[in-house]
Coordinates of all heavy atoms in Angstrom, one line a residue:
M1 N 5.5 7.9 16.4 CA 5.6 6.5 16.3 C 5.7 6.1 14.8 O 4.9 6.6 14.0 CB 4.3 5.9 16.9 CG 4.1 4.4 16.6 SD 2.6 3.6 17.3 CE 1.4 4.9 17.4
K2 N 6.7 5.3 14.5 CA 6.9 4.8 13.1 C 6.2 3.5 12.9 O 6.1 2.6 13.8 CB 8.4 4.6 12.8 CG 9.2 5.9 13.0 CD 8.9 6.8 11.8 CE 9.8 8.0 11.9 NZ 9.7 8.8 10.7
I3 N 5.6 3.3 11.7 CA 5.0 2.0 11.3 C 5.5 1.6 9.9 O 6.0 2.4 9.1 CB 3.5 2.1 11.3 CG1 2.9 3.2 10.3 CG2 3.0 2.5 12.7 CD1 1.4 3.1 10.1
S4 N 5.2 0.3 9.7 CA 5.4 -0.3 8.3 C 4.1 -1.0 8.0 O 3.5 -1.7 8.8 CB 6.5 -1.3 8.4 OG 7.7 -0.8 8.9
V5 N 3.7 -0.7 6.7 CA 2.4 -1.3 6.3 C 2.7 -2.0 5.0 O 3.3 -1.5 4.1 CB 1.3 -0.2 6.1 CG1 0.0 -0.8 5.6 CG2 1.1 0.6 7.4
E6 N 2.2 -3.3 4.9 CA 2.3 -4.1 3.7 C 0.9 -4.1 3.1 O -0.1 -4.5 3.8 CB 2.8 -5.5 3.9 CG 2.9 -6.3 2.7 CD 3.4 -7.7 2.9 OE1 2.8 -8.4 3.6 OE2 4.5 -8.0 2.4
L7 N 0.7 -3.8 1.8 CA -0.6 -3.8 1.1 C -0.5 -4.7 0.0 O 0.4 -4.7 -0.8 CB -0.9 -2.4 0.6 CG -0.8 -1.2 1.6 CD1 -0.8 0.1 0.9 CD2 -2.1 -1.3 2.5
T8 N -1.6 -5.5 -0.2 CA -1.8 -6.3 -1.4 C -3.2 -5.8 -1.9 O -4.2 -6.1 -1.2 CB -1.8 -7.8 -1.1 OG1 -0.5 -8.1 -0.6 CG2 -2.0 -8.6 -2.4
F9 N -3.3 -5.2 -3.0 CA -4.5 -4.6 -3.6 C -4.9 -5.4 -4.7 O -4.2 -5.6 -5.7 CB -4.2 -3.2 -4.0 CG -5.3 -2.4 -4.5 CD1 -6.6 -2.4 -3.9 CD2 -5.1 -1.5 -5.6 CE1 -7.6 -1.7 -4.4 CE2 -6.1 -0.8 -6.1 CZ -7.4 -0.8 -5.5
S10 N -6.2 -5.9 -4.7 CA -6.7 -6.7 -5.8 C -8.1 -6.3 -6.2 O -9.1 -6.7 -5.6 CB -6.8 -8.2 -5.3 OG -5.6 -8.7 -4.8
P11 N -8.2 -5.4 -7.2 CA -9.5 -5.1 -7.8 C -10.1 -6.4 -8.4 O -9.4 -7.1 -9.1 CB -9.2 -4.1 -8.9 CG -7.9 -3.5 -8.5 CD -7.1 -4.7 -7.9
L12 N -11.3 -6.7 -8.1 CA -11.9 -8.0 -8.5 C -12.8 -7.7 -9.8 O -14.0 -7.8 -9.8 CB -12.8 -8.5 -7.4 CG -12.0 -8.8 -6.1 CD1 -13.0 -9.3 -5.0 CD2 -11.0 -9.9 -6.3
Q13 N -12.0 -7.3 -10.8 CA -12.7 -7.0 -12.1 C -11.7 -7.1 -13.2 O -10.5 -7.2 -13.0 CB -13.3 -5.6 -12.1 CG -12.4 -4.5 -11.7 CD -13.1 -3.2 -11.4 OE1 -13.9 -3.1 -10.5 NE2 -12.7 -2.1 -12.1
N14 N -12.1 -7.1 -14.5 CA -11.2 -7.3 -15.6 C -10.2 -6.2 -15.8 O -9.0 -6.5 -16.2 CB -12.0 -7.5 -16.9 CG -12.8 -8.8 -16.8 OD1 -12.4 -9.8 -16.2 ND2 -13.9 -8.9 -17.6
D15 N -10.5 -5.0 -15.6 CA -9.6 -3.9 -15.8 C -8.8 -3.5 -14.6 O -8.8 -2.4 -14.2 CB -10.3 -2.7 -16.4 CG -11.4 -2.1 -15.4 OD1 -11.8 -2.9 -14.6 OD2 -11.7 -0.9 -15.6
F16 N -8.2 -4.5 -14.0 CA -7.5 -4.3 -12.7 C -6.2 -3.5 -12.7 O -5.9 -2.8 -11.8 CB -7.3 -5.6 -12.0 CG -6.4 -6.6 -12.7 CD1 -5.1 -6.6 -12.5 CD2 -6.9 -7.4 -13.7 CE1 -4.2 -7.4 -13.2 CE2 -6.1 -8.3 -14.3 CZ -4.7 -8.3 -14.1
E17 N -5.5 -3.7 -13.8 CA -4.1 -3.1 -13.9 C -4.1 -1.6 -13.7 O -3.3 -1.1 -12.9 CB -3.4 -3.5 -15.1 CG -2.9 -4.9 -15.2 CD -2.1 -5.2 -16.4 OE1 -1.9 -4.3 -17.2 OE2 -1.7 -6.4 -16.5
E18 N -5.0 -0.9 -14.4 CA -5.0 0.6 -14.3 C -5.3 1.0 -12.8 O -4.7 2.0 -12.4 CB -6.0 1.2 -15.2 CG -7.4 0.9 -14.8 CD -8.4 1.6 -15.8 OE1 -8.7 1.0 -16.8 OE2 -8.9 2.7 -15.5
H19 N -6.1 0.3 -12.1 CA -6.4 0.7 -10.7 C -5.2 0.5 -9.8 O -4.9 1.3 -8.9 CB -7.6 -0.1 -10.2 CG -8.9 0.1 -10.9 ND1 -9.5 1.3 -10.8 CD2 -9.6 -0.6 -11.8 CE1 -10.6 1.3 -11.6 NE2 -10.7 0.1 -12.2
I20 N -4.5 -0.6 -10.0 CA -3.3 -0.9 -9.2 C -2.2 0.1 -9.5 O -1.6 0.7 -8.6 CB -2.8 -2.3 -9.4 CG1 -3.8 -3.3 -8.9 CG2 -1.4 -2.5 -8.7 CD1 -3.5 -4.8 -9.3
I21 N -2.0 0.4 -10.7 CA -0.9 1.3 -11.1 C -1.2 2.7 -10.6 O -0.3 3.4 -10.0 CB -0.8 1.3 -12.7 CG1 -0.2 0.0 -13.1 CG2 0.1 2.5 -13.1 CD1 -0.2 -0.2 -14.6
S22 N -2.4 3.1 -10.7 CA -2.8 4.5 -10.2 C -2.6 4.6 -8.7 O -2.1 5.5 -8.2 CB -4.3 4.8 -10.6 OG -4.7 6.0 -10.0
F23 N -3.1 3.5 -8.0 CA -2.9 3.5 -6.5 C -1.5 3.6 -6.1 O -1.1 4.4 -5.2 CB -3.6 2.2 -6.0 CG -3.6 2.1 -4.5 CD1 -4.3 2.9 -3.7 CD2 -2.8 1.1 -3.9 CE1 -4.4 2.7 -2.3 CE2 -2.8 0.9 -2.5 CZ -3.6 1.8 -1.7
I24 N -0.6 2.8 -6.7 CA 0.8 2.8 -6.4 C 1.5 4.1 -6.7 O 2.3 4.7 -6.0 CB 1.6 1.6 -7.1 CG1 1.1 0.3 -6.5 CG2 3.1 1.8 -6.9 CD1 1.6 -0.9 -7.2
K25 N 1.1 4.7 -7.9 CA 1.7 6.0 -8.2 C 1.3 7.1 -7.2 O 2.1 8.0 -6.9 CB 1.2 6.4 -9.6 CG 1.9 5.7 -10.7 CD 1.5 6.2 -12.1 CE 2.3 5.5 -13.2 NZ 1.9 6.0 -14.5
K26 N 0.1 7.1 -6.7 CA -0.3 8.0 -5.7 C 0.5 7.8 -4.4 O 0.8 8.8 -3.7 CB -1.8 8.0 -5.5 CG -2.6 8.5 -6.6 CD -4.1 8.4 -6.4 CE -4.8 9.0 -7.5 NZ -6.3 9.0 -7.3
L27 N 0.7 6.6 -4.0 CA 1.5 6.3 -2.8 C 2.9 6.8 -3.0 O 3.5 7.4 -2.1 CB 1.5 4.8 -2.5 CG 0.2 4.2 -2.1 CD1 0.4 2.7 -1.8 CD2 -0.4 4.9 -0.8
R28 N 3.5 6.6 -4.2 CA 4.9 7.0 -4.5 C 5.0 8.6 -4.4 O 6.0 9.1 -3.9 CB 5.3 6.7 -5.9 CG 5.6 5.2 -6.2 CD 5.9 5.1 -7.6 NE 6.2 3.7 -8.0 CZ 6.2 3.3 -9.3 NH1 6.0 4.1 -10.2 NH2 6.4 2.0 -9.5
S29 N 4.0 9.3 -4.8 CA 4.0 10.7 -4.8 C 3.7 11.3 -3.4 O 3.7 12.6 -3.3 CB 3.1 11.3 -5.9 OG 1.7 11.1 -5.6
S30 N 3.4 10.5 -2.5 CA 2.9 11.0 -1.1 C 4.1 11.5 -0.3 O 3.8 12.2 0.7 CB 2.3 9.9 -0.4 OG 3.2 8.9 0.0
G31 N 5.3 11.2 -0.6 CA 6.4 11.7 0.2 C 6.8 10.6 1.2 O 7.8 10.7 1.9
L32 N 6.0 9.5 1.3 CA 6.4 8.4 2.2 C 7.4 7.5 1.6 O 7.5 7.5 0.3 CB 5.1 7.6 2.6 CG 4.0 8.4 3.3 CD1 2.8 7.6 3.4 CD2 4.5 8.8 4.7
T33 N 8.1 6.7 2.3 CA 8.9 5.7 1.8 C 8.0 4.5 1.3 O 7.3 4.0 2.0 CB 9.9 5.1 2.8 OG1 10.7 6.2 3.3 CG2 10.8 4.1 2.3
V34 N 8.2 4.2 0.0 CA 7.3 3.2 -0.6 C 8.3 2.2 -1.3 O 9.1 2.6 -2.2 CB 6.3 3.8 -1.6 CG1 5.5 2.7 -2.3 CG2 5.4 4.7 -0.9
L35 N 8.1 0.9 -1.0 CA 8.9 -0.1 -1.7 C 7.9 -1.1 -2.3 O 6.9 -1.4 -1.7 CB 9.8 -0.9 -0.7 CG 10.9 0.0 0.0 CD1 11.6 -0.8 1.1 CD2 11.8 0.6 -1.0
E36 N 8.2 -1.6 -3.5 CA 7.3 -2.5 -4.2 C 8.0 -3.8 -4.5 O 9.2 -3.9 -4.7 CB 6.8 -1.9 -5.4 CG 6.2 -0.6 -5.2 CD 6.3 0.4 -6.4 OE1 6.4 -0.1 -7.5 OE2 6.4 1.6 -6.2
N37 N 7.2 -4.9 -4.6 CA 7.7 -6.2 -5.2 C 6.5 -6.7 -6.0 O 5.4 -6.1 -5.9 CB 8.2 -7.1 -4.1 CG 7.1 -7.5 -3.1 OD1 6.1 -8.0 -3.5 ND2 7.4 -7.3 -1.8
P38 N 6.6 -7.8 -6.6 CA 5.5 -8.3 -7.5 C 4.3 -8.7 -6.7 O 3.2 -8.8 -7.3 CB 6.1 -9.6 -8.1 CG 7.6 -9.4 -8.1 CD 7.9 -8.6 -6.9
L39 N 4.4 -8.9 -5.4 CA 3.2 -9.4 -4.6 C 2.6 -8.3 -3.7 O 1.4 -8.5 -3.3 CB 3.6 -10.6 -3.8 CG 4.1 -11.8 -4.6 CD1 4.5 -12.9 -3.6 CD2 3.0 -12.3 -5.5
S40 N 3.3 -7.3 -3.4 CA 2.8 -6.3 -2.5 C 3.5 -5.0 -2.5 O 4.6 -4.9 -3.2 CB 2.8 -6.8 -1.0 OG 4.2 -7.0 -0.6
T41 N 3.0 -4.0 -1.8 CA 3.6 -2.7 -1.7 C 3.8 -2.4 -0.2 O 2.9 -2.6 0.5 CB 2.8 -1.6 -2.4 OG1 2.6 -2.0 -3.8 CG2 3.4 -0.3 -2.3
Q42 N 4.9 -1.9 0.1 CA 5.2 -1.6 1.5 C 5.3 0.0 1.7 O 5.9 0.6 0.8 CB 6.5 -2.2 2.1 CG 6.4 -3.7 2.2 CD 6.8 -4.4 0.9 OE1 7.6 -4.0 0.2 NE2 6.1 -5.5 0.6
V43 N 4.7 0.5 2.7 CA 4.7 1.9 3.0 C 5.2 2.1 4.4 O 4.8 1.4 5.3 CB 3.3 2.5 2.9 CG1 3.3 4.0 3.1 CG2 2.6 2.2 1.5
Y44 N 6.2 3.1 4.5 CA 6.8 3.3 5.8 C 6.8 4.8 6.2 O 6.9 5.7 5.3 CB 8.3 2.9 5.7 CG 8.5 1.5 5.2 CD1 8.7 1.3 3.9 CD2 8.5 0.5 6.1 CE1 8.9 0.0 3.4 CE2 8.7 -0.9 5.7 CZ 8.9 -1.1 4.3 OH 9.1 -2.4 3.9
G45 N 6.6 5.1 7.5 CA 6.6 6.5 7.9 C 6.0 6.6 9.3 O 5.7 5.6 10.0
S46 N 5.6 7.8 9.7 CA 5.0 8.0 10.9 C 3.5 7.5 10.8 O 2.9 7.6 9.8 CB 5.0 9.5 11.3 OG 4.0 10.2 10.6
Y47 N 3.0 7.0 11.9 CA 1.6 6.5 12.0 C 0.6 7.5 11.4 O -0.1 7.1 10.5 CB 1.3 6.1 13.4 CG -0.1 5.6 13.5 CD1 -0.4 4.2 13.4 CD2 -1.2 6.4 13.7 CE1 -1.7 3.7 13.4 CE2 -2.5 5.9 13.8 CZ -2.7 4.5 13.6 OH -4.0 4.0 13.7
D48 N 0.7 8.7 11.8 CA -0.3 9.7 11.4 C -0.2 10.0 9.9 O -1.2 10.1 9.2 CB -0.2 11.0 12.2 CG -0.6 10.9 13.6 OD1 -1.4 10.0 13.9 OD2 -0.1 11.6 14.5
D49 N 1.0 10.1 9.4 CA 1.2 10.4 8.0 C 0.8 9.2 7.1 O 0.1 9.4 6.1 CB 2.7 10.7 7.7 CG 3.1 12.0 8.3 OD1 2.3 12.8 8.7 OD2 4.4 12.2 8.4
V50 N 1.2 8.0 7.5 CA 0.9 6.8 6.7 C -0.6 6.6 6.7 O -1.2 6.4 5.6 CB 1.6 5.5 7.2 CG1 1.1 4.3 6.5 CG2 3.1 5.7 7.0
M51 N -1.3 6.7 7.8 CA -2.7 6.4 7.9 C -3.5 7.5 7.2 O -4.5 7.2 6.6 CB -3.1 6.3 9.3 CG -2.5 5.1 10.0 SD -2.7 3.5 9.1 CE -4.5 3.2 9.4
A52 N -3.1 8.7 7.2 CA -3.8 9.8 6.5 C -3.7 9.5 5.0 O -4.7 9.6 4.3 CB -3.2 11.2 6.8
V53 N -2.6 9.2 4.5 CA -2.4 8.9 3.0 C -3.2 7.6 2.7 O -4.0 7.6 1.7 CB -0.9 8.7 2.6 CG1 -0.8 8.1 1.2 CG2 -0.2 10.0 2.7
L54 N -3.1 6.6 3.5 CA -3.9 5.4 3.1 C -5.4 5.6 3.2 O -6.1 5.1 2.3 CB -3.5 4.2 4.1 CG -2.1 3.7 3.9 CD1 -1.8 2.6 4.9 CD2 -1.8 3.2 2.5
Q55 N -5.9 6.3 4.2 CA -7.3 6.5 4.3 C -7.8 7.2 3.1 O -8.8 6.9 2.5 CB -7.6 7.4 5.6 CG -9.1 7.7 5.7 CD -9.4 8.5 7.0 OE1 -8.5 8.9 7.7 NE2 -10.7 8.7 7.2
K56 N -7.1 8.2 2.6 CA -7.5 9.0 1.4 C -7.4 8.1 0.2 O -8.4 8.1 -0.6 CB -6.6 10.2 1.3 CG -6.9 11.0 0.0 CD -5.9 12.2 -0.1 CE -6.1 12.9 -1.5 NZ -5.0 13.8 -1.8
E57 N -6.3 7.5 -0.1 CA -6.1 6.8 -1.3 C -6.9 5.5 -1.4 O -7.3 5.1 -2.5 CB -4.6 6.6 -1.5 CG -3.8 7.8 -1.7 CD -4.3 8.8 -2.7 OE1 -4.9 8.4 -3.7 OE2 -4.0 10.0 -2.6
I58 N -7.1 4.8 -0.3 CA -7.9 3.6 -0.4 C -9.3 4.0 -0.7 O -10.0 3.3 -1.5 CB -7.8 2.8 1.0 CG1 -6.4 2.2 1.1 CG2 -8.9 1.7 1.0 CD1 -6.1 1.6 2.5
K59 N -9.8 5.0 -0.1 CA -11.2 5.5 -0.4 C -11.4 5.8 -1.9 O -12.3 5.4 -2.5 CB -11.6 6.6 0.5 CG -13.0 7.1 0.2 CD -13.4 8.2 1.2 CE -14.9 8.6 0.9 NZ -15.3 9.7 1.8
I60 N -10.4 6.6 -2.4 CA -10.5 6.9 -3.8 C -10.4 5.7 -4.7 O -11.2 5.5 -5.7 CB -9.3 7.9 -4.2 CG1 -9.6 9.3 -3.5 CG2 -9.2 8.0 -5.7 CD1 -8.4 10.2 -3.6
A61 N -9.5 4.8 -4.4 CA -9.4 3.6 -5.2 C -10.6 2.7 -5.2 O -11.1 2.2 -6.2 CB -8.2 2.7 -4.7
F62 N -11.2 2.6 -4.0 CA -12.5 1.8 -3.9 C -13.6 2.5 -4.7 O -14.5 1.8 -5.2 CB -12.8 1.6 -2.5 CG -12.1 0.4 -1.8 CD1 -12.3 0.2 -0.5 CD2 -11.3 -0.5 -2.5 CE1 -11.6 -0.9 0.2 CE2 -10.6 -1.5 -1.9 CZ -10.8 -1.7 -0.6
E63 N -13.7 3.8 -4.6 CA -14.8 4.5 -5.3 C -14.6 4.3 -6.8 O -15.6 4.4 -7.6 CB -14.8 6.0 -5.0 CG -15.3 6.2 -3.5 CD -15.1 7.6 -3.1 OE1 -14.3 8.4 -3.7 OE2 -15.8 8.0 -2.1
L64 N -13.4 4.1 -7.4 CA -13.2 4.0 -8.8 C -13.4 2.6 -9.4 O -13.3 2.4 -10.6 CB -11.8 4.5 -9.1 CG -11.5 5.9 -8.9 CD1 -10.0 6.2 -9.1 CD2 -12.4 6.8 -9.8
M65 N -13.7 1.6 -8.5 CA -13.9 0.2 -9.0 C -15.2 -0.3 -8.5 O -15.8 0.2 -7.5 CB -12.7 -0.6 -8.6 CG -12.7 -0.9 -7.1 SD -11.3 -1.9 -6.6 CE -10.0 -0.6 -6.6
D66 N -15.6 -1.4 -9.2 CA -16.9 -2.1 -8.8 C -16.7 -2.9 -7.5 O -17.4 -2.8 -6.6 CB -17.4 -3.0 -9.9 CG -17.8 -2.2 -11.1 OD1 -18.3 -1.0 -10.9 OD2 -17.6 -2.7 -12.2
K67 N -15.6 -3.7 -7.5 CA -15.3 -4.6 -6.4 C -13.8 -4.7 -6.2 O -13.1 -4.7 -7.2 CB -15.8 -6.0 -6.7 CG -17.3 -6.1 -6.8 CD -17.8 -7.5 -7.1 CE -19.3 -7.5 -7.3 NZ -19.8 -8.5 -8.2
G68 N -13.4 -4.7 -4.9 CA -12.0 -4.8 -4.7 C -11.7 -5.4 -3.3 O -12.5 -5.4 -2.4
L69 N -10.5 -5.8 -3.2 CA -10.0 -6.5 -2.0 C -8.6 -5.9 -1.6 O -7.8 -5.7 -2.5 CB -9.8 -8.0 -2.3 CG -9.3 -8.9 -1.2 CD1 -10.3 -8.9 0.0 CD2 -9.2 -10.3 -1.7
L70 N -8.5 -5.5 -0.4 CA -7.2 -5.0 0.1 C -6.8 -5.7 1.4 O -7.5 -5.7 2.4 CB -7.3 -3.5 0.4 CG -6.1 -2.8 0.9 CD1 -5.1 -2.6 -0.3 CD2 -6.4 -1.5 1.6
Y71 N -5.6 -6.4 1.3 CA -5.0 -7.0 2.5 C -4.0 -6.0 3.0 O -3.2 -5.4 2.3 CB -4.3 -8.3 2.1 CG -5.1 -9.4 1.7 CD1 -5.3 -9.8 0.4 CD2 -5.8 -10.2 2.6 CE1 -6.1 -10.8 0.0 CE2 -6.6 -11.2 2.3 CZ -6.7 -11.6 0.9 OH -7.5 -12.6 0.6
M72 N -4.0 -5.8 4.3 CA -3.1 -4.9 5.0 C -2.5 -5.5 6.2 O -3.3 -6.0 7.1 CB -3.8 -3.6 5.3 CG -2.9 -2.5 5.9 SD -3.6 -0.9 6.0 CE -5.2 -1.1 6.7
K73 N -1.2 -5.4 6.3 CA -0.5 -5.8 7.6 C 0.3 -4.6 8.1 O 0.9 -3.9 7.3 CB 0.5 -7.0 7.3 CG -0.2 -8.2 6.8 CD 0.9 -9.3 6.7 CE 0.7 -10.0 5.4 NZ 1.8 -11.0 5.1
M74 N 0.2 -4.5 9.4 CA 0.9 -3.3 10.0 C 1.8 -3.7 11.1 O 1.5 -4.6 11.9 CB -0.2 -2.4 10.5 CG 0.2 -1.0 10.8 SD -1.1 0.1 11.4 CE -2.5 -0.3 10.3
V75 N 3.0 -3.1 11.1 CA 4.0 -3.4 12.2 C 4.4 -2.1 12.8 O 4.6 -1.1 12.1 CB 5.3 -4.0 11.6 CG1 6.3 -4.3 12.7 CG2 4.9 -5.3 10.9
K76 N 4.5 -2.1 14.1 CA 4.8 -0.9 14.9 C 6.4 -0.8 14.9 O 7.0 -1.1 15.9 CB 4.3 -0.9 16.3 CG 4.6 0.4 17.0 CD 4.2 0.4 18.5 CE 4.7 1.5 19.2 NZ 4.6 1.4 20.6
S77 N 6.9 -0.3 13.8 CA 8.3 0.0 13.6 C 8.6 0.3 12.2 O 7.8 -0.2 11.3 CB 9.3 -1.1 14.1 OG 9.2 -2.2 13.3
D78 N 9.6 1.0 11.9 CA 10.0 1.3 10.5 C 11.0 0.2 10.1 O 12.1 0.1 10.5 CB 10.7 2.6 10.4 CG 11.0 3.0 9.0 OD1 11.2 2.1 8.1 OD2 11.1 4.2 8.7
R79 N 10.5 -0.7 9.2 CA 11.3 -1.9 8.8 C 11.8 -1.6 7.4 O 12.2 -2.6 6.7 CB 10.4 -3.1 8.8 CG 9.8 -3.4 10.1 CD 10.7 -3.9 11.1 NE 11.2 -5.2 10.7 CZ 12.3 -5.8 11.2 NH1 13.0 -5.2 12.2 NH2 12.7 -6.9 10.8
S80 N 11.9 -0.4 6.9 CA 12.3 -0.1 5.5 C 13.8 -0.5 5.2 O 14.1 -0.7 4.1 CB 12.1 1.4 5.2 OG 12.8 2.2 6.1
D81 N 14.6 -0.6 6.3 CA 16.0 -1.0 6.1 C 16.2 -2.5 6.3 O 17.4 -2.9 6.4 CB 16.9 -0.1 6.9 CG 16.6 -0.3 8.4 OD1 15.6 -1.0 8.8 OD2 17.3 0.3 9.2
Y82 N 15.2 -3.3 6.4 CA 15.3 -4.7 6.7 C 16.1 -5.4 5.6 O 15.9 -5.2 4.4 CB 14.0 -5.4 6.8 CG 14.1 -6.9 6.9 CD1 14.4 -7.5 8.1 CD2 13.8 -7.6 5.8 CE1 14.5 -8.9 8.2 CE2 13.9 -9.0 5.8 CZ 14.3 -9.6 7.0 OH 14.4 -11.0 7.1
E83 N 17.1 -6.2 6.0 CA 17.8 -7.1 5.1 C 17.9 -8.4 5.7 O 18.2 -8.6 6.9 CB 19.2 -6.5 4.9 CG 19.3 -5.2 4.1 CD 20.7 -4.8 3.8 OE1 21.6 -5.7 3.6 OE2 20.9 -3.6 3.7
P84 N 17.5 -9.5 4.9 CA 17.6 -10.8 5.4 C 19.0 -11.2 5.8 O 20.0 -10.8 5.2 CB 17.1 -11.7 4.3 CG 16.8 -10.8 3.1 CD 17.1 -9.4 3.5
H85 N 19.1 -12.0 6.9 CA 20.4 -12.4 7.4 C 20.7 -13.9 7.1 O 21.3 -14.6 7.9 CB 20.5 -12.2 8.9 CG 20.3 -10.8 9.3 ND1 21.2 -9.8 9.1 CD2 19.2 -10.1 9.8 CE1 20.7 -8.6 9.5 NE2 19.5 -8.8 9.9
F86 N 20.3 -14.3 5.9 CA 20.5 -15.7 5.6 C 20.9 -15.8 4.1 O 20.8 -14.9 3.4 CB 19.3 -16.6 5.9 CG 18.0 -16.2 5.3 CD1 17.6 -16.5 4.0 CD2 17.2 -15.3 6.0 CE1 16.4 -16.1 3.5 CE2 16.0 -14.9 5.5 CZ 15.6 -15.2 4.2

């Protein structure tokens, strides 16, 4: 089963940039399809692969910060090739 996950990661502390950059770099090196924009990061792949990577990397990211917020939306399909029709 293929999924698409949109993540918005917000460390709630002054040194937030290094945490976000590290998190995204780890997602990029995971072998999954990762697309970024200024507001969120999208991850695409099989359910088991995506969830295994996210479980590991979210835990590490949270352990490295005092406070953090992660918004996650999940769709049951691979939407990595989506193009607007307008």
Side-chain angles (χ1 to χ4, degrees):
M1 167 180 30
K2 298 288 186 176
I3 63 170
S4 303
V5 180
E6 180 180 63
L7 304 164
T8 302
F9 181 43
S10 304
L12 302 175
Q13 55 193 58
N14 291 334
D15 63 338
F16 63 91
E17 284 186 2
E18 69 179 83
H19 296 290
I20 294 171
I21 291 168
S22 175
F23 183 69
I24 292 172
K25 284 183 175 181
K26 288 180 179 181
L27 293 179
R28 285 179 185 165
S29 68
S30 69
L32 299 170
T33 301
V34 177
L35 301 175
E36 303 151 31
N37 65 53
L39 299 176
S40 65
T41 302
Q42 292 85 39
V43 183
Y44 306 92
S46 75
Y47 179 89
D48 291 334
D49 293 343
V50 171
M51 296 308 290
V53 168
L54 292 181
Q55 180 179 3
K56 176 185 173 193
E57 297 306 335
I58 291 169
K59 181 177 182 180
I60 291 169
F62 278 174
E63 288 174 341
L64 294 173
M65 69 183 79
D66 294 326
K67 297 178 182 153
L69 179 64
L70 180 77
Y71 290 103
M72 182 168 49
K73 295 184 225 175
M74 197 178 317
V75 177
K76 183 186 170 190
S77 69
D78 184 335
R79 306 289 294 166
S80 60
D81 60 354
Y82 172 77
E83 291 186 28
H85 300 289
F86 53 90

